[in-house]
Amino acid sequence: MFQSATYLIWLLLFIALPLLVLSVLGRGALVRRRRALVLAVVGALVSGWLWDAAAVHIGLWFYDPANIVGVWFLGLPLEEWLWIVGVTLLFGSLTVVLKAREAVPKP
């Protein structure tokens, strides 16, 4: 349907849009925990790359060229790198925002 932008559109709708909402709702908490979020992303990038690139290399899975833009880096398409960063930030940010809301005293 969306040709080579299918994966990118999916990432925008289900990762970027919720991240945008979280960044507005929990800006202060996210800024305070930015170091932890950066460390989580770095860890996810390293482990995600090792796992995904190995799986692609041995044929466990593949990326349909019709659904990706075709930009590859270190054995993975651009969309997979965005997925790794996006999903890590989404769940990390959700955790930070929910914990910050939990810590607010109730009247």
Side-chain angles (χ1 to χ4, degrees):
M1 178 176 182
F2 298 108
Q3 307 302 356
S4 64
T6 299
Y7 198 176
L8 283 177
I9 291 169
W10 190 92
L11 290 170
L12 283 170
L13 289 174
F14 297 105
I15 302 292
L17 192 56
L19 260 174
L20 179 63
V21 171
L22 275 173
S23 68
V24 170
L25 294 177
R27 179 167 162 57
L30 294 172
V31 168
R32 286 190 299 278
R33 298 288 184 213
R34 67 184 174 272
R35 185 171 187 267
L37 291 169
V38 167
L39 290 173
V41 167
V42 169
L45 282 169
V46 171
S47 60
W49 168 66
L50 290 171
W51 174 262
D52 286 353
V56 169
H57 181 73
I58 63 174
L60 283 176
W61 65 73
F62 71 98
Y63 300 93
D64 186 348
N67 295 325
I68 60 174
V69 295
V71 176
W72 288 72
F73 180 68
L74 296 174
L76 296 176
L78 170 66
E79 294 88 346
E80 188 63 17
W81 290 105
L82 294 173
W83 162 262
I84 293 167
V85 171
V87 81
T88 302
L89 283 176
L90 179 61
F91 288 104
S93 297
L94 181 61
T95 301
V96 167
V97 170
L98 290 176
K99 288 302 284 180
R101 289 179 64 109
E102 186 180 275
V104 173
K106 296 180 180 165

